[in-house]
Amino acid sequence: MPPRRRRTSPPPPSEAARLTDHLLAEGFKKSEIAEILGRNSAIVSHFFTRGPGAGQAYVAALQAVVQEVQAGGPRDLASLKALAGQYVQRRRTKSGRLARVRQKDALQHEVDEEWNSGFARAGRQHIASGASRLKPIIEEAAAAGGVIAFTVRASKGRFLIDSGRDEDSPRVRTHVVQRPDGTEERSYGRGGAGMDAQEWHQRVTSAGGDVTAAISDWMEETGRLAEGTKISHIELRGWKPNG
């Protein structure tokens, strides 16, 4: 009789596959995860079939996305793709050189006389490092003579003024969102014509380019937020008023 073939156990899943499973459990599809990573959907399938080292170049990006989603951050693909793009590492050849990878063309927004609006979000991880992804929106709005508005999320008990009062943010009570984790979102600049972008550009410059610090300082200086409060999320919009 021929010898029996030994059963081989499947290789352990890669770290990229484990993180992908978290996103699948959150309701994302593999095609959506691939879009977030800026890659073909076949890449995500390879995480599960090519051994424990598969997808190593995408682990940092997947970790950032998983943390953002589990922390209650934005779930739209555009925001998560922008987040992942800061962590995706190019694959290297055996000699250590960057491998050539075909990518889709990307359109970059240009500021001109018809510039209208821009929008960006920053979650907990990016806020801790200064929320640099928000800075271009402020710069573009300032260059266009525009205005900005932003939404801040922090622990409910750290806000010092009752929501909806003019001392906090006039006429935007409808934009106060209570979160089940005890945090609250409040918007500033949305109830009127926005806040002068050039002034905020100066504030960010004075803070060494740290958007988080500039917003925190303003809220503390104006008595809106308790000193030392950790902001967990910021959404910022800049626009050039029509006319």
Side-chain angles (χ1 to χ4, degrees), residues 69-127:
V69 170
Q70 292 182 342
R75 298 174 63 97
D76 62 284
L77 299 186
S79 295
L80 295 177
K81 184 175 182 178
L83 171 60
Q86 301 183 40
Y87 293 89
V88 171
Q89 302 175 16
R90 287 274 302 276
R91 181 174 59 84
R92 293 184 178 272
T93 63
K94 291 183 179 180
S95 64
R97 294 183 178 181
L98 289 174
R100 297 181 63 181
V101 179
R102 289 186 300 174
Q103 296 178 329
K104 295 181 180 179
D105 293 337
L107 296 177
Q108 185 173 358
H109 174 71
E110 295 183 358
V111 182
D112 54 30
E113 66 276 7
E114 297 185 2
W115 184 87
N116 185 40
S117 66
F119 178 74
R121 297 184 178 96
R124 193 184 310 272
Q125 185 172 355
H126 290 281
I127 284 175

Side-chain angles (χ1 to χ4, degrees), residues 36 44 73 134 144 148 152 156 194 198 209 213 230 232 234:
I36 290 170
V44 177
L134 306 180
I148 68 164
V152 172
K156 180 179 179 180
Q198 293 180 349
K230 291 184 178 181
S232 61
I234 298 174

Side-chain angles (χ1 to χ4, degrees), residues 35-200:
E35 182 176 346
I36 290 170
L37 296 174
R39 296 293 186 268
N40 186 281
S41 57
I43 293 293
V44 177
S45 296
H46 293 167
F47 297 166
F48 296 87
T49 60
R50 295 195 173 180
Q56 187 61 38
Y58 304 98
V59 168
L62 288 167
Q63 286 175 335
V65 172
V66 169
Q67 289 174 4
E68 185 83 346
V69 170
Q70 292 182 342
R75 298 174 63 97
D76 62 284
L77 299 186
S79 295
L80 295 177
K81 184 175 182 178
L83 171 60
Q86 301 183 40
Y87 293 89
V88 171
Q89 302 175 16
R90 287 274 302 276
R91 181 174 59 84
R92 293 184 178 272
T93 63
K94 291 183 179 180
S95 64
R97 294 183 178 181
L98 289 174
R100 297 181 63 181
V101 179
R102 289 186 300 174
Q103 296 178 329
K104 295 181 180 179
D105 293 337
L107 296 177
Q108 185 173 358
H109 174 71
E110 295 183 358
V111 182
D112 54 30
E113 66 276 7
E114 297 185 2
W115 184 87
N116 185 40
S117 66
F119 178 74
R121 297 184 178 96
R124 193 184 310 272
Q125 185 172 355
H126 290 281
I127 284 175
S129 60
S132 59
R133 69 166 58 180
L134 306 180
K135 189 177 177 182
I137 302 298
I138 298 175
E139 292 175 341
E140 291 175 1
V147 294
I148 68 164
F150 55 81
T151 297
V152 172
R153 180 175 173 183
S155 177
K156 180 179 179 180
R158 305 293 290 179
F159 290 97
L160 301 179
I161 302 175
D162 291 340
S163 61
R165 296 184 61 179
D166 283 354
E167 297 93 327
D168 183 56
S169 188
R171 301 179 299 281
V172 293
R173 188 176 183 86
T174 56
H175 297 304
V176 174
V177 179
Q178 307 286 344
R179 295 290 185 175
D181 61 357
T183 60
E184 184 172 282
E185 293 180 4
R186 296 198 185 186
S187 298
Y188 300 93
R190 291 179 64 179
M195 295 183 284
D196 183 64
Q198 293 180 349
E199 176 186 342
W200 273 95

Side-chain angles (χ1 to χ4, degrees), residues 205-218:
T205 301
S206 298
D210 190 322
V211 180
T212 305
I215 291 177
S216 296
D217 290 346
W218 177 79

